[in-house]
Amino acid sequence: MSIEQLAETAQAMVAPGKGIIAIDESTSTLAKRFAAVGIPNNEENRRAYRELLLTTPKLGEYISGAILFDETIRQSTKAGVPFTRVMADSGIIPGIKVDRGTHALAGFPGELVTEGLDGLRERLKEYYKLGARFAKWRAVITIGEDMPSGSCIEANSHALARYAALCQENGLVPMVEPEVLMDGDHDIETAYEVNEVVLRSLFEALYNQGVMLEGTILKAAMVVPGADSDESAEVDEVATSTLMCLKSAVPAILPGIVFLSGGQSDEAATAHLDAMNRLGPNPWPLSFSYGRAMQQAALKLWSQDLTGNIAKAQQTVYARARENGLAALGQWTHGG
Ligand code: 13P
């Protein structure tokens, strides 16, 4: 696979006014989301829910790619059309979550390391055949007392870089995600410092493993105060802090940065992205790769009537895609 092809895919993922919908919840994570709204977690409901999302009319106007879970990339609509075909028809690039989740980091109580490198080359070859053109790996960094440790940051950066190199070897654009969690009572300055040190470590590891940044997408957390912090931050403070952090640690050659929503409200996730783009021009396109902030309204509606509310739920998916697409251009207006 040439770097030109990887770069082309990466650029298409962050095309102007478009972003990614993350629907790659593992079976256990989706079980939690379903349980919160009273939906039984079985394969048919998971399939039907993903069909609802992926067949949202005109989704491709604002969505360039969708991240799928292993089960999802093999599934089809009720009428038997493979999801990857549905996506190709709407111009949406299939992506795939390839990590195998977080596990306790031995020797560092409370810290996590993401696993999934064993056998990854073979899995990537299969995913490519199934149609995937990018792949996500999520590392989780927790802020707390004496956390994160340098060892945790280093172990996760190393794994991200090894996975990214394997992706490029097999024709997939790596979407590297070092998620610094919002959990905790830390202030925004602490979030800034941790995000900066994590990003510096990640880009050093990517360089050491020979990863070509022209064919890589960063999925970043925004710099926000902890969810249990007494302080709140204005939209502009989040936007300026996040931008400063990224500019100090992320090489300009990267084709794009997309954000996770991480537990922010729908409106906050959109307003923050919009504010960052209004502060541009920036070194990279800044867009979204939201899971919850794209889906939560739709999931709630669908849970109230699994057959009758499909169109209504799809309208909210389209509306969220449109709002975030406008925010990716710095053209979102509150309530508009
Ligand atoms: P959230 O936007 O819900 O944080 O999910 C994005 C994601 O893919 C996390 O890995």
Side-chain angles (χ1 to χ4, degrees), residues 160-170 174 206 209-211:
L160 275 162
R162 295 269 317 278
Y163 123 88
L166 281 162
C167 283
Q168 293 190 332
E169 179 195 89
N170 291 287
L206 292 173
Q209 294 299 325
V211 174

Side-chain angles (χ1 to χ4, degrees), residues 33 179 182-183 227 260-266 268-269 291-293 296:
R33 305 265 194 274
E179 177 172 2
M182 273 172 67
D183 302 0
L260 57 100
S261 58
Q264 300 182 51
S265 69
D266 289 4
R292 282 161 286 180
Q296 52 208 0

Side-chain angles (χ1 to χ4, degrees), residues 1 3 6 124 163-174 210-216:
M1 177 65 52
I3 181 60
L6 290 169
L124 290 170
Y163 123 88
L166 281 162
C167 283
Q168 293 190 332
E169 179 195 89
N170 291 287
L172 287 98
V173 170
V211 174
M212 296 173 284
L213 296 186
E214 305 92 309
T216 302

Side-chain angles (χ1 to χ4, degrees), residues 20-43:
I20 310 282
I21 181 168
I23 58 169
D24 60 330
E25 297 84 1
S26 63
T27 304
S28 58
T29 301
L30 194 58
K32 284 185 220 152
R33 305 265 194 274
F34 275 6
V37 290
I39 301 171
N41 180 29
N42 54 51
E43 189 185 345

Side-chain angles (χ1 to χ4, degrees), residues 135-148:
K136 185 191 98 172
W137 178 290
R138 172 175 176 258
V140 171
I141 305 292
T142 312
I143 300 181
E145 210 181 322
D146 298 325
M147 292 196 286

Side-chain angles (χ1 to χ4, degrees), residues 88-111:
D89 290 347
S90 3
I92 297 175
I93 306 167
I96 181 78
K97 178 226 285 295
V98 297
D99 66 70
R100 292 238 155 111
T102 55
H103 298 262
L105 179 63
F108 295 86
E111 296 200 282

Side-chain angles (χ1 to χ4, degrees), residues 274-321:
D274 183 65
M276 282 187 263
N277 281 306
R278 282 179 196 266
L279 288 167
N282 295 311
W284 338 257
L286 298 177
S287 191
F288 60 95
S289 173
Y290 296 154
R292 282 161 286 180
M294 276 296 303
Q295 298 179 46
Q296 52 208 0
L299 182 60
K300 198 167 167 199
L301 270 172
W302 187 57
S303 73
Q304 290 157 9
D305 186 345
L306 300 193
T307 47
N309 271 0
I310 292 175
K312 256 196 223 163
Q314 288 179 329
Q315 281 162 17
T316 70
V317 176
Y318 179 78
R320 291 300 299 140

